[in-house]
Amino acid sequence: MTDSQDTPVLEIENLCLSYYTRAGEIPAVVDFSLTLKQGESVGLVGESGCGKSTVAMAVMRYMGHNGGIVGGSIKFKGRDMGSLDEDELRKLRGSEIAMIYQEPMAALNPSLTVGTQLMEVPLTHEEVSKEEAFERSVQMLADVHLPDPERVMAAYPHQISGGQQQRVVIAMALLSKPALLLLDEPTTALDVTVEAGIVELIGELSEKFGTSLLYISHNLGLMLEVCDRIGVMYSGEVVEEGTIDSIFTWPKHPYTHGLFGCIPLPHADKNARPLVAITGQLPLPHERPPGCNFGPRCHFFQAGKCDAETLAMEEVHTDDDPAHRVRCQRWNEIDPEDAIPEGEKHAATEIGETVLEVASMQKYYEVRDNSIAAMISGEGVKWVKANEEINFRAGRGETVAIVGESGCGKSTFAKVLMGLETATDGEVRLEGTNIGELPVKARSPEQLGSLQMVFQNPNDTLNPSLTIGAQIGRVIRKFGVESDPTKVRQRVLELLDKVKLPRDFALRKPRQLSGGQKQRVGIARAFAGNPAMVIADEPISALDVSVAAAVTELLMDIQRENQTTLLFISHDLSAVRYLSDRVIVMYLGQIMERGQTDEVFSPPYHPYTEALLSAVPIADPEVEKRRIVLEGNLPSVMNPPKGCPFSTRCPRKLGEICDNELPPVQFAADRHAIACHIPMDELRKVEPVIKIPEDRLAVGAAD
């Protein structure tokens, strides 16, 4: 083995991975090659099931008893990983090679303190004392920008936030200064502001320690910001690879073009330039077609050419990237203009009368401290102000988005709307009736049916023991849409048609459906009672980009047909910009800014809106974006700032007035309100966060 700078940290050549089941051998990854040098960052993107995580598990040698390498090799610093025994692998894992998982709570032991788990890394892999392990752990928590590291060391995982948990996992992975760090969807479940901070943090630490990074994600915007090179995977194969600039500027494979067509870029328009989902589904590993795996879903498929033989990677000769390669027989015959999918254009939906009107709504929670000290001081009762002075209205056929970080009060407001909580004060009027004080049990079937919800995780909302048809039919009967069994069944089939699912899915149970299909069932069930309003709470955040595009367009189509009002709750501002007519920006239970989408996404901004926009990953290298990374975390809802709730993190803070006085609500235009002490004239002078090239805007205008 050589430690020279020329030796790649990771070298994978013609790798083939399989799992063995009772049905036989399942080829998970075929002909995969990758070279990763010191300090380099490479990304793998593709739909769920394409083999990205399987590659990472193979590098770690975590494939279980029924999986293994059936061809090719994996070399780490020149050493063949396949030749290492368990003791040698155990020494490498955590010290030389580390992994950051998608779900931090799955990587942390809930019964041990953070400090115990961090100290375990140097104590296991290096001959150090407990005192040195403690000091190094505290320093690493400081390096990942966690406030009060010694307090975090003493805390259990459930006592810190999700963003803090992810930073702890990163600290744990970097404690022994590994040469290779594998990151499997490290920011999927995080707020955009936390994601921006963590991405920057990983970049800083990688540069500091010379760590090589292998990113796994379906977020192309994230890949653009963090990677030097990228590999696009489909059904166990890399179908295209090259530098970031080359792939994002001159994609060649139809699948890569399809992925870009699923992303709501800033110049996309839900009416003039709608997203186009990739047709069909990923083939199962044992049902791959002959020739090109993408053939059955490709608009450029040519019989006799694309299905004739196993395809090899071909070089795409460009001046900027001599290593750009593609697995396609027809890549040089395809006109890039034809490869960009175009959706069916729609006329803008006419917004009708007011359906929802929220006036000075408040939701407080009482928290009691029964300790003797609290009783003596008279502070035995405190109030958590989850929602404070919420004011807005939504019209028929309108899409209103509520955005903000976790803990800002978005979901609390949704619970009040649904009747799972009641408002403390103020009014929530749905079609003229105040429902804010009515718990769900006190609402009539008509009121329940007129307000429905699409949840983030369909697995938690579908009954595993009932068929899809039974679950949709129950809603139809419950809300009095139909009572005759024949008509109920017909209505179920019509709803399945609407959400573009086969009619025989009515007889299937949830376990027989994919995640995207389950979300479509959730949408069908939400619209089964002919609601006046649907609340969509993060409905696409856990989905692949292609499935998310399909679900997004489905929501839009059904909304247009039924003139339904849609309340879209999300932290994905790219999706919000694409979907919504109006945007409400919330922070610590209060509305910081509200207005039409174009108004909120261009100056004047509230400083918090400005920071949110800066944190959004954009999968377009030609779009310029100002960089603003928020420091610190949301203040405690038990002890919020006295003045402006954003004052503790605001990069434009004026001084004591922000700390001590609530900001006035200023109007930049009719219904475009900003709660800020900074004068409106000063807010208007702020440079745009996102700058779209003129030619992109011109294309949108022409459409």
Side-chain angles (χ1 to χ4, degrees):
M1 185 186 78
T2 174
D3 290 327
S4 72
Q5 290 285 85
D6 296 331
T7 303
V9 171
L10 181 67
E11 191 174 9
I12 303 176
E13 188 174 354
N14 303 326
L15 182 67
C16 296
L17 305 171
S18 290
Y19 288 97
Y20 293 90
T21 67
R22 284 178 293 180
E25 181 181 350
I26 305 296
V29 173
V30 180
D31 188 28
F32 180 91
S33 296
L34 171 73
T35 300
L36 188 58
K37 298 177 182 177
Q38 182 177 347
E40 192 177 23
S41 177
V42 174
L44 294 179
V45 299
E47 296 170 282
S48 295
C50 72
K52 306 185 301 294
S53 296
T54 302
V55 170
M57 290 300 181
V59 172
M60 295 289 287
R61 294 285 305 276
Y62 278 153
M63 293 193 65
H65 296 295
N66 68 328
I69 299 171
V70 295
S73 63
I74 303 173
K75 293 181 180 178
F76 175 72
K77 290 185 175 181
R79 298 177 68 188
D80 188 344
M81 296 285 287
S83 66
L84 303 181
D85 59 31
E86 281 300 319
D87 286 339
E88 290 173 312
L89 285 171
R90 198 173 293 114
K91 291 176 183 177
L92 279 179
R93 294 173 186 148
S95 59
E96 291 276 351
I97 306 174
M99 190 164 180
I100 297 173
Y101 298 90
Q102 179 174 352
E103 177 51 61
M105 277 304 288
L108 294 173
N109 189 327
S111 65
L112 298 177
T113 64
V114 168
T116 301
Q117 297 181 67
L118 284 170
M119 290 168 60
E120 186 179 22
V121 176
L123 288 172
T124 300
H125 295 288
E126 304 171 48
E127 293 182 4
V128 298
S129 64
K130 287 188 177 181
E131 291 75 15
E132 185 179 344
F134 181 85
E135 289 173 6
R136 281 175 53 180
S137 298
V138 170
Q139 181 57 49
M140 186 56 75
L141 288 180
D143 284 345
V144 298
H145 307 312
L146 274 171
D148 196 359
E150 295 199 6
R151 181 193 65 80
V152 176
M153 288 282 286
Y156 287 89
H158 69 272
Q159 294 175 311
I160 57 179
S161 70
Q164 291 174 329
Q165 290 169 8
Q166 192 66 295
R167 287 171 189 253
V168 167
V169 171
I170 292 169
M172 189 182 300
L174 292 171
L175 255 176
S176 287
K177 302 176 185 176
L180 175 62
L181 183 60
L182 310 175
L183 304 103
D184 190 359
E185 301 278 11
T187 60
T188 296
L190 302 180
D191 291 322
V192 287
T193 50
V194 177
E195 176 183 78
I198 284 178
V199 164
E200 183 173 275
L201 167 68
I202 292 171
E204 287 175 7
L205 297 175
S206 171
E207 188 173 340
K208 179 178 178 181
F209 300 125
T211 307
S212 302
L213 305 175
L214 180 61
Y215 267 97
I216 294 168
S217 180
H218 61 252
N219 187 336
L220 283 160
L222 177 66
M223 295 289 100
L224 177 62
E225 294 188 357
V226 301
C227 294
D228 304 310
R229 292 186 292 115
I230 190 172
V232 180
M233 290 193 70
Y234 181 80
S235 190
E237 295 179 333
V238 173
V239 295
E240 188 164 8
E241 62 182 9
T243 64
I244 283 291
D245 286 342
S246 184
I247 295 289
F248 277 74
T249 308
W250 300 288
K252 301 299 181 184
H253 199 284
Y255 179 60
T256 311
H257 281 290
L259 288 178
F260 282 117
C262 296
I263 300 170
L265 295 172
H267 55 274
D269 184 292
K270 67 179 179 181
N271 297 313
R273 302 183 66 190
L275 303 179
V276 181
I278 301 172
T279 57
Q281 293 182 5
L282 202 76
L284 294 173
H286 61 285
E287 295 178 352
R288 289 175 180 137
C292 178
N293 288 341
F294 188 60
R297 303 173 73 185
C298 182
H299 296 299
F300 301 97
F301 177 81
Q302 189 177 82
K305 186 170 186 177
C306 299
D307 57 358
E309 58 186 51
T310 302
L311 304 183
M313 295 287 278
E314 294 185 19
E315 291 185 1
V316 177
H317 298 287
T318 65
D319 295 335
D320 297 308
D321 182 13
H324 190 158
R325 302 196 305 158
V326 64
R327 197 186 299 270
C328 178
Q329 291 275 49
R330 302 195 62 203
W331 68 267
N332 54 359
E333 303 172 20
I334 298 171
D335 185 340
E337 294 296 324
D338 295 334
I340 300 172
E342 288 190 14
E344 182 182 347
K345 298 177 184 178
H346 302 278
T349 303
E350 187 174 335
I351 297 172
E353 75 280 5
T354 298
V355 171
L356 177 72
E357 186 171 7
V358 184
S360 301
M361 196 217 77
Q362 297 176 333
K363 176 58 186 176
Y364 294 176
Y365 291 98
E366 182 182 299
V367 178
R368 290 186 175 272
D369 184 349
N370 294 323
S371 66
I372 295 174
M375 292 179 181
I376 293 173
S377 65
E379 297 179 354
V381 177
K382 290 187 177 181
W383 295 93
V384 173
K385 299 180 179 180
N387 288 148
E388 179 77 14
E389 288 294 317
I390 305 298
N391 293 282
F392 74 94
R393 63 182 186 269
R396 192 170 302 280
E398 187 175 24
T399 301
V400 178
I402 301 181
V403 300
E405 296 169 284
S406 298
C408 74
K410 306 187 300 292
S411 295
T412 299
F413 174 68
K415 288 177 182 177
V416 173
L417 270 182
M418 295 299 296
L420 301 176
E421 302 280 359
T422 55
T424 305
D425 200 2
E427 294 186 343
V428 179
R429 294 191 170 275
L430 182 69
E431 296 187 309
T433 303
N434 183 14
I435 61 170
E437 298 175 352
L438 290 177
V440 66
K441 290 184 178 180
R443 294 185 182 183
S444 67
E446 292 76 17
Q447 289 171 331
L448 292 172
S450 66
L451 190 60
Q452 289 295 295
M453 194 161 184
V454 179
F455 297 91
Q456 178 176 0
N457 188 353
N459 288 318
D460 294 339
T461 60
L462 296 176
N463 189 326
S465 62
L466 296 179
T467 64
I468 300 305
Q471 298 188 57
I472 298 175
R474 182 176 181 273
V475 176
I476 295 168
R477 291 189 298 273
K478 174 81 174 175
F479 299 138
V481 177
E482 296 287 355
S483 56
D484 180 77
T486 303
K487 291 182 178 179
V488 169
R489 174 171 171 73
Q490 185 59 34
R491 176 68 176 154
V492 168
L493 298 179
E494 289 171 358
L495 283 163
L496 289 175
D497 291 341
K498 275 189 178 182
V499 297
K500 298 178 175 61
L501 286 176
R503 289 190 167 195
D504 63 3
F505 273 36
L507 302 175
R508 295 192 182 187
K509 292 188 176 180
R511 67 174 182 273
Q512 297 172 288
L513 275 61
S514 69
Q517 290 169 339
K518 290 175 187 174
Q519 193 63 293
R520 288 170 184 251
V521 172
I523 292 170
R525 188 176 61 178
F527 282 90
N530 296 327
M533 184 170 189
V534 169
I535 303 167
D537 188 1
E538 301 278 12
I540 59 173
S541 65
L543 303 178
D544 286 327
V545 288
S546 55
V547 179
V551 170
T552 297
E553 293 309 307
L554 178 63
L555 274 172
M556 294 292 94
D557 288 343
I558 298 178
Q559 182 194 31
R560 290 185 190 102
E561 183 178 337
N562 297 351
Q563 275 287 293
T564 311
T565 302
L566 183 64
L567 188 67
F568 185 68
I569 298 174
S570 180
H571 63 252
D572 182 350
L573 270 77
S574 295
V576 164
R577 182 171 192 157
Y578 175 76
L579 276 171
S580 61
D581 301 303
R582 303 186 68 81
V583 179
I584 296 165
V585 181
M586 289 186 67
Y587 185 84
L588 216 64
Q590 299 189 39
I591 294 178
M592 297 287 97
E593 183 170 359
R594 55 186 166 88
Q596 293 182 6
T597 303
D598 289 342
E599 294 171 338
V600 172
F601 277 76
S602 57
Y605 307 112
H606 188 281
Y608 180 56
T609 309
E610 192 178 4
L612 287 178
L613 293 175
S614 175
V616 179
I618 299 175
D620 189 337
E622 295 185 21
V623 173
E624 295 180 26
K625 189 176 68 170
R626 279 200 293 120
R627 178 180 163 278
I628 305 166
V629 177
L630 288 181
E631 299 294 333
N633 298 303
L634 263 74
S636 169
V637 290
M638 295 289 292
N639 187 28
K642 180 181 177 183
C644 174
F646 189 55
S647 61
T648 58
R649 300 169 75 195
C650 182
R652 298 183 180 275
K653 182 177 173 181
L654 295 178
E656 290 186 4
I657 188 173
C658 296
D659 290 326
N660 298 319
E661 295 183 25
L662 284 171
V665 177
Q666 307 178 69
F667 283 85
D670 181 38
R671 294 182 70 187
H672 180 198
I674 300 175
C676 188
H677 286 293
I678 301 172
M680 186 58 67
D681 289 343
E682 293 297 317
L683 293 175
R684 292 186 196 278
K685 295 176 184 177
V686 173
E687 286 289 314
V689 173
I690 299 170
K691 293 183 180 179
I692 306 171
E694 289 293 330
D695 60 332
R696 299 295 175 90
L697 291 173
V699 171
D703 289 342

